[in-house]
Amino acid sequence: MIEMTVAQIAEIVGGTLADVSAEQAAELRVTGTVEFDSRAVGPGGLFLALPGARSDGHDHAASAVAAGAVAVLAARPVGVPAIVVAPEPRDSRAGVLEHDPDGSGAAVLGALAELAKAVAEELVAGGLTIIGITGSSGKTSTKDLVAAVLEPLGEVVAPPGSFNNELGHPWTVLRATRRTDYLVLEMSARHPGNIAELARIAPPAIGVVLNVGTAHLGEFGSREAIARTKSELPQAVPPSGVVILNVDDPSVAAMAHVCSGWVVRVSRASHTDSGPSDVWAEGVSLDELARPRFTLHAMDARGAAEVEVQLGVYGEHQVTNALCASAVALQCGAGVEQIAASLAAAGPVSRHRMQVSNRADGVTVIDDAYNANPDSMRAGLQALASIARGGQTERRSWAVLGEMAELGEEAISEHDAIGRLAVRLDVSRLVVVGTGRSVAAMHHAAVMEGSWGASGDRGAVQVADGDAALELLRAELRPGDVVLVKASNAAGLGALAETLAAEGGARR
């Protein structure tokens, strides 16, 4: 974060001082990072006192100050220097906090948002470029690719993992300093207005919309409502900015009509129903590990250009993510050769997102366990099938799948469709993990699809939890098998994927 006094921060967030005088607050300077985990606080930091499932951050204020925090942003006095903001009724900012009975979390999140907004305004005035990315799937992978292609152009700040909500978004903004050239932000939503609020905190000069799917369908109620919420990002980009749209998705292509900024159309084809593409791919193919190769076509500073691109990430769905990242880099002044080199060197960064491990015993593990919705589940299964068939000899494929959360009334039908798709892609073994109605529907659909044999090397089984799945895999995996582990984060299959990848000898 940029250096500020405690008094300046208090004025920005509308807080009062506690256990520190006005004179002291004018001298105390926050020179470190802003943290909500007291264990992460370092010298010169600012600690956020937020309520949690197991403990209240207010109870850790003293230890945070002892670790070096200059002050605490809190909803009540905590016995150490603090900026106190009054608790407020729960609102959209508190949606990320499951435990906030008195509104203290909403108050601290609201103050955090105002602090991040003030910092973003000052840094943008100094030349910072903010890039915002949204979509029902692919945000994190695209964010990682954007950071990779911008790194040769200057200092980049991007969130670790999926820090893309009311807490992670402003926290990431406050990682930027006066040395930062590019701030790359994911923008997620659970309710209408969420993306507009995130964009208010850090107005993007470049906005990227990847797709409109069915993630969080249970909360939004319809795909149309999801599209309207995703369109809050392009509407937030000013006339001087750029909006990058994946026009292969008709719902995204339609957002061109609400953009005041310059529109860049990205596609897997040179022309779509929405017109000619500005950045597109030609001749897409996959190697034996489902890493895409294609010819990138675009306009750079020298005019029309093309270059061969070999991605270092896995799955054909990454082509669109890479095209969007390329479009961002082109807008920031990169040439196509530099973009191709950066994309080739960019492997998976964020944990549990298409991380491919080749064990010493010949088993390949695809860890995509962080999140799942119907679109990303289909992409994961297609990548599994591609890797299993990509070499000289076809390999047995295992899909270890858990629940896709927050699909509302569509949950049963969407899980049913995934179970049937696994059969149609000729996945060798489907291991459905969990006991709920949705995962039972996935298992039942696979059994009823009828393309599999009843036993032997092909078939579907349902197990209660990750431990049971791991026991089954340990007993039945053979050298050369390929295993995909995928589910919504709440299913907790990340630990299974990590354990599975680590077994069978050292990784190659």
Side-chain angles (χ1 to χ4, degrees):
M1 168 171 144
I2 62 176
E3 186 173 316
M4 283 188 177
T5 67
V6 171
Q8 287 174 318
I9 295 172
E11 182 178 0
I12 289 169
V13 305
T16 59
L17 300 172
D19 296 295
V20 60
S21 68
E23 292 76 15
Q24 291 172 319
E27 295 296 326
L28 285 173
R29 307 188 75 83
V30 174
T31 57
T33 59
V34 177
E35 304 292 352
F36 53 86
D37 185 341
S38 60
R39 296 167 296 183
V41 173
L46 177 68
F47 177 61
L48 306 174
L50 291 169
R54 296 181 178 84
S55 63
D56 189 331
H58 292 81
D59 299 332
H60 297 278
S63 62
V65 171
V70 172
V72 178
L73 184 55
R76 61 178 182 269
V78 286
V80 293
I83 301 164
V84 177
V85 289
E88 58 186 64
R90 287 178 61 87
D91 63 5
S92 61
R93 284 190 299 266
V96 68
L97 300 175
E98 296 180 1
H99 303 272
D100 188 26
D102 61 358
S104 62
V108 175
L109 284 179
L112 177 67
E114 295 309 310
L115 178 59
K117 181 176 182 294
V119 168
E121 287 177 352
E122 186 165 341
L123 291 178
V124 167
L128 175 71
T129 298
I130 298 177
I131 298 103
I133 303 167
T134 195
S136 294
S137 59
K139 294 185 294 296
T140 300
S141 296
T142 303
K143 172 263 300 180
D144 291 338
L145 291 175
V146 169
V149 295
L150 292 181
E151 187 175 3
L153 305 181
E155 181 177 296
V156 181
V157 167
S162 292
F163 271 41
N164 56 23
N165 58 20
E166 302 91 340
L167 172 58
H169 179 84
W171 179 88
T172 303
V173 173
L174 293 173
R175 312 310 273 187
T177 69
R178 299 191 192 282
R179 299 186 304 275
T180 306
D181 297 292
Y182 303 100
L183 175 60
V184 185
L185 299 169
E186 288 186 52
M187 296 182 174
S188 69
R190 292 179 180 272
H191 305 285
N194 284 163
I195 292 176
E197 170 62 15
L198 299 181
R200 182 191 71 85
I201 294 169
I206 302 175
V208 180
V209 186
L210 298 169
N211 46 56
V212 175
T214 52
H216 308 303
L217 184 61
E219 305 212 12
F220 284 98
S222 70
R223 198 168 183 271
E224 291 73 23
I226 296 172
R228 287 193 296 272
T229 301
K230 299 302 181 188
S231 73
E232 293 170 9
L233 174 55
Q235 290 180 77
V237 175
S240 59
V242 177
V243 178
I244 295 165
L245 300 178
N246 168 28
V247 294
D248 290 331
D249 185 322
S251 296
V252 176
M255 295 180 192
H257 300 295
V258 301
C259 298
S260 60
W262 180 261
V263 175
V264 173
R265 292 170 171 83
V266 167
S267 174
R268 293 280 300 270
S270 60
H271 287 76
T272 69
D273 291 343
S274 63
S277 306
D278 300 299
V279 179
W280 74 95
E282 181 182 35
V284 176
S285 62
L286 302 178
D287 69 8
E288 69 280 0
L289 288 177
R291 291 173 298 199
R293 183 180 185 87
F294 60 92
T295 302
L296 169 68
H297 292 267
M299 297 286 291
D300 65 9
R302 295 173 296 176
E306 63 180 66
V307 67
E308 291 298 310
V309 173
Q310 172 68 68
L311 296 184
V313 291
Y314 307 89
E316 188 170 349
H317 61 288
Q318 298 281 13
V319 173
T320 297
N321 299 339
L323 290 172
C324 289
S326 301
V328 171
L330 288 163
Q331 292 301 316
C332 294
V336 293
E337 291 84 2
Q338 179 247 294
I339 290 171
S342 297
L343 290 174
V349 174
S350 299
R351 294 175 61 204
H352 304 307
R353 293 167 183 83
M354 291 303 292
Q355 290 183 295
V356 177
S357 301
N358 295 306
R359 302 189 335 183
D361 63 358
V363 172
T364 296
V365 179
I366 308 168
D367 177 0
D368 200 28
Y370 182 81
N371 213 346
N373 57 58
D375 293 329
S376 67
M377 192 71 88
R378 284 189 285 270
L381 285 171
Q382 288 161 354
L384 169 65
S386 178
I387 292 175
R389 300 188 187 105
Q392 295 180 345
T393 304
E394 183 170 346
R395 307 163 68 183
R396 286 202 312 172
S397 54
W398 294 70
V400 183
L401 308 181
E403 183 177 18
M404 299 179 288
E406 300 175 348
L407 294 179
E409 295 179 356
E410 303 297 320
I412 299 298
S413 62
E414 292 288 3
H415 284 82
D416 178 287
I418 293 301
R420 295 179 188 279
L421 178 63
V423 179
R424 292 167 186 171
L425 289 173
D426 205 24
V427 172
S428 306
R429 298 294 306 275
L430 172 64
V431 181
V432 177
V433 184
T435 58
R437 293 178 62 234
S438 297
V439 290
M442 185 192 299
H443 174 253
H444 178 74
V447 172
M448 296 302 292
E449 181 65 16
S451 298
W452 266 327
S455 61
D457 280 353
R458 297 185 181 276
V461 63
Q462 183 175 0
V463 298
D465 53 32
D467 290 339
L470 182 59
E471 183 179 355
L472 172 67
L473 291 162
R474 283 170 169 166
E476 298 192 20
L477 279 179
R478 300 200 301 250
D481 287 359
V482 187
V483 187
L484 167 69
V485 182
K486 187 163 181 62
S488 286
N489 195 38
L493 296 191
L496 165 64
E498 288 183 347
T499 300
L500 195 63
E503 294 185 346
R507 303 184 195 184
R508 292 200 299 267

